[in-house]
Amino acid sequence: MQTFGQQLINGLSLGSIYALLALGYTMVYGIIKLINFAHGDIYMLGAFWGYYVINGLHFNFIFAMLSAMIFCALVGVLIEYFAYRPLRHSPRITALITAIGVSFLLENTMTYFFSANTRNFPQVITTVTYHVLGLHISNIQLLILGTACLLMLLLEIIIKRTKMGKAMRAVSVDPEAAQLVGINLNHTISFTFALGSAMAGAAGVLIGLYYNSIDPLMGMTPGIKAFVAAVIGGIGSVPGASVGGFLIGLLETGVQAVGLSAYKDAVVYVVLIVILLVLPAGIFGKKTKEKV
Amino acid sequence: MIKWQKTLLKLGALATVLTLAGCSTAKSNGSAQGNNPGKTIKIGVNMELSGSAAGYGQQQKQGIQLAVNKINQAGGIKVGQSKKKIQLVIRDNKTSNTTAASVAAQLVNNDKVVAVVGPAATNAGTASIPNMTKAEVPSVSPSATDPGYTLQKNGTVQKYIFRACFQNNYQGSSAATFMTKNLKAKNVAILTDNSSDYGTGLTKAFKQSYTGKIVSSQTFQEGDKDFNAILTALKHKRIDAIYAPGYYSELGLIIKQARQAGINVPIVGSDGMADAKLTKIAGKANTSNIYYTTPFSTKAGETNAQAASFLKAYRAKYHTTAPTFSALAYDSVYMIKSAIESEHSANSVKITTGLAHLKNFKGVTGTITMNQHHNPEKSMVIEKLTNGRVSQAYTIK
């Protein structure tokens, strides 16, 4: 029972990171039908930003995270402006390949300028492990869970309660009709990228603090896992991405807990295939009939 | 992913065949075998400078450059009557097997190098072998540890392929002996990096020679950051020690997360762990009761003059303690130098002969004698870390 509880904590902390990343994928997909493969690398940039502002400018954790969110939001907007906007009317596959290209560009530029070495993240918050009912839970795990839930809640409010959120929803339903009623398409799309990238930036700093190790390729695997999480949850659906993220985290932990660590990635992808076969639109996805 | 890699491999094989076909016509001018030096001695570097193994490749490059600078400052290598300086030709193989093969072809055919240092990884190294053999130019890998790397399929030695590091069987079995004899561990768990031949090879060797009980054998991938699930599962099993062959970037995290989860048994690893970054990632307080097998102890400076001067020079240039990979790469260059001097020639075939007969070579990573399988024979050290510092070193002969 204790082991089970402990594994649940492990799974939830891992899942909250996937969820934060999956949100960025799902929002961008929802609005311009583009799978932004560079998203995982924005998360890496967030972690590196945190590393430098904490080491160089002695920011505390909160400021480091907030500044990383702003920085990543800017990077996201710039990437959209320079790489994706010129391709908005080209076939979807062109934009997809560009996204992969942007991802490689970010990874290799970082490797070139900052070396591929793994660095240790400055430990601005000392780890304290609490023992509750025989379970170990650290303050950093609580921080990750708390921040992730808070950000997801904030996002939900922005999307459901603000004017910009309303515009985002409108654009995702029908971009042309949205333009007709006076919504600025470019601003809305930029805002979506900013929001998604800010989430990734926060995740980067949280992960840096939690694992204490960052490198230019750290975004690759979590990026793909988060993409899977977004698809499982129903790509385009915001609550779906959160649920998908936690699900993947728990699944991975569960597989390792029963001693099948060699298959942990395989199981995640098998579940993806099964979901795509049984529920092609994902758990929270809307079934839409293609109009001909 | 795997399928994708296989396709790449096939393409690589095709590319290799094409390059070989090209060079066989270009090289039919007869005269002497292999490559000859010009005004300088050209040494090629076929190294992982970008991609997933770039961390290790960069460290090796530093070691190589340090060695070459030192040799050139002293006037170069004595060949016959005159001294010739070394000219490095550094090329990045991007941690890709196909690129490694084409880099090898470029180095031997276009740059006309007389010897190559690299690649760092067994896979990339194996992909380069056909091109090296065809051109009759020797290569010394600082860190390709797979036992089969220097051997052909039928078990005979690859004539032009050498390494400066231990091969896995020796390192894995030494760890097994150490855990049984010194740590008295009867039940162990194994955590393997199964994304590299290095990790899987060491685990295989360990399993063959370990006599106690293996309670659990788990794997992880390069780049993994979360080991909490595996460790929580291990916590409730009776284990006396953990054997975890892999690299410092993942091992640092395993140590950190194991200690935080309350697992305090000894953790034994391999030379991929021997890096100052291990402690930085794991945290000083967590890095106790940690052991690893290594050819090069940073404590070696106390007894080995070569190592002392290397450590000093490295610190002066890069402001940090020299990692094992840099030391091995440094030795690789000096092994080539020693081969040139003993054969009085910098012809690539002669260097090969010199490397094969290397005997009692005093290197930074120990006194090396090349055996018939082109594996260096040197003594092994097991270092113990307490609070992040090397507190003890056991020598295994």
Side-chain angles (χ1 to χ4, degrees), chain A residues 167-182:
Chain A
M168 280 168 64
R169 281 182 288 146
V171 172
S172 85
V173 174
D174 190 333
E176 266 130 49
Q179 264 179 313
L180 286 178
V181 296

Side-chain angles (χ1 to χ4, degrees), chain B residues 184-329:
Chain B
K184 313 257 179 271
K186 293 198 177 69
N187 302 297
V188 301
I190 303 179
L191 270 175
T192 311
D193 174 358
N194 79 340
S195 56
S196 69
D197 287 354
Y198 175 66
T200 48
L202 281 172
T203 300
K204 205 172 134 199
F206 179 85
K207 280 183 177 167
Q208 273 167 5
S209 41
Y210 183 65
T211 47
K213 196 176 159 207
I214 294 167
V215 182
S216 173
S217 183
Q218 300 294 324
T219 64
F220 59 90
Q221 303 270 319
E222 183 190 346
D224 278 1
K225 295 210 187 289
D226 197 300
F227 305 92
N228 285 317
I230 300 178
L231 293 168
T232 305
L234 283 184
K235 203 192 161 185
H236 296 277
K237 293 196 167 113
R238 272 188 47 126
I239 46 171
D240 305 321
I242 296 174
Y243 181 58
Y247 294 112
Y248 64 89
S249 40
E250 286 80 29
L251 257 299
L253 290 168
I254 290 179
I255 291 167
K256 177 179 173 181
Q257 291 168 20
R259 297 305 186 231
Q260 280 175 353
I263 300 174
N264 294 315
V265 297
I267 297 176
V268 183
S270 50
D271 55 357
M273 255 166 89
D275 192 297
K277 288 232 171 60
L278 181 87
T279 309
K280 286 196 176 144
I281 295 170
K284 265 193 185 153
N286 296 323
T287 320
S288 284
N289 218 357
I290 307 293
Y291 302 81
Y292 52 81
T293 49
T294 173
F296 168 68
S297 169
T298 44
K299 289 212 143 189
E302 293 161 12
T303 50
N304 177 340
Q306 262 83 6
S309 90
F310 165 71
L311 283 166
K312 207 174 139 201
Y314 191 92
R315 181 169 284 281
K317 186 148 190 208
Y318 302 109
H319 310 292
T320 171
T321 309
T324 305
F325 287 120
S326 299
L328 287 167

Side-chain angles (χ1 to χ4, degrees), chain A residues 1-175:
Chain A
M1 196 58 209
Q2 261 179 26
T3 318
F4 180 77
Q6 190 65 49
Q7 295 290 21
L8 200 66
I9 294 173
N10 295 338
L12 287 176
S13 357
L14 187 64
S16 56
I17 295 299
Y18 289 151
L20 275 182
L21 279 177
L23 286 170
Y25 274 106
T26 220
M27 285 194 319
V28 167
Y29 184 85
I31 205 153
I32 52 170
K33 305 284 174 283
L34 163 75
I35 295 161
N36 181 13
F37 276 112
H39 195 64
D41 302 298
I42 292 181
Y43 148 89
M44 175 270 292
L45 288 179
F48 270 80
W49 176 269
Y51 175 86
Y52 282 104
V53 295
I54 293 175
N55 273 347
L57 304 171
H58 305 289
F59 278 28
N60 66 17
F61 176 72
I62 301 288
F63 280 120
M65 194 168 85
L66 290 178
S67 63
M69 287 173 76
I70 294 168
F71 170 72
C72 286
L74 268 173
V75 173
V77 170
L78 283 178
I79 289 175
E80 193 272 331
Y81 186 82
F82 286 109
Y84 305 143
R85 191 169 292 182
L87 297 171
R88 195 160 302 150
H89 300 292
S90 10
R92 257 204 250 169
I93 191 81
T94 319
L96 191 74
I97 291 168
T98 309
I100 295 173
V102 171
S103 161
F104 280 178
L105 179 73
L106 292 178
E107 282 166 12
N108 289 306
T109 316
M110 288 301 284
T111 310
Y112 188 78
F113 286 109
F114 297 93
S115 93
N117 284 334
T118 310
R119 308 142 189 266
N120 53 305
F121 199 83
Q123 296 295 291
V124 270
I125 296 180
T126 352
T127 314
V128 184
T129 311
Y130 305 108
H131 300 262
V132 189
L133 303 167
L135 301 178
H136 296 270
I137 185 158
S138 70
N139 52 348
I140 295 182
Q141 280 174 319
L142 288 175
L143 185 73
I144 289 180
L145 265 173
T147 318
C149 291
L150 190 75
L151 287 175
M152 282 183 237
L153 208 68
L154 203 67
L155 187 68
E156 191 67 19
I157 293 171
I158 290 176
I159 293 176
K160 289 278 158 70
R161 297 286 154 87
T162 64
K163 213 172 171 187
M164 206 61 193
K166 207 178 221 174
M168 280 168 64
R169 281 182 288 146
V171 172
S172 85
V173 174
D174 190 333

Side-chain angles (χ1 to χ4, degrees), chain B residues 258-386:
Chain B
R259 297 305 186 231
Q260 280 175 353
I263 300 174
N264 294 315
V265 297
I267 297 176
V268 183
S270 50
D271 55 357
M273 255 166 89
D275 192 297
K277 288 232 171 60
L278 181 87
T279 309
K280 286 196 176 144
I281 295 170
K284 265 193 185 153
N286 296 323
T287 320
S288 284
N289 218 357
I290 307 293
Y291 302 81
Y292 52 81
T293 49
T294 173
F296 168 68
S297 169
T298 44
K299 289 212 143 189
E302 293 161 12
T303 50
N304 177 340
Q306 262 83 6
S309 90
F310 165 71
L311 283 166
K312 207 174 139 201
Y314 191 92
R315 181 169 284 281
K317 186 148 190 208
Y318 302 109
H319 310 292
T320 171
T321 309
T324 305
F325 287 120
S326 299
L328 287 167
Y330 185 88
D331 269 358
S332 305
V333 176
Y334 270 92
M335 281 159 72
I336 293 169
K337 176 180 181 265
S338 163
I340 293 173
E341 284 169 347
S342 66
E343 293 294 312
H344 307 292
S345 162
N347 170 274
S348 64
V349 179
K350 291 276 190 198
I351 298 177
T352 311
T353 321
L355 282 170
H357 295 120
L358 203 68
K359 209 168 181 187
N360 292 328
F361 163 79
K362 295 244 182 311
V364 170
T365 63
T367 304
I368 296 171
T369 298
M370 198 61 81
N371 77 8
Q372 54 171 359
H373 291 136
H374 292 184
N375 294 322
E377 283 177 351
K378 49 186 170 180
S379 57
M380 181 174 289
V381 182
I382 291 184
E383 287 192 327
K384 180 184 184 181
L385 295 177
T386 307

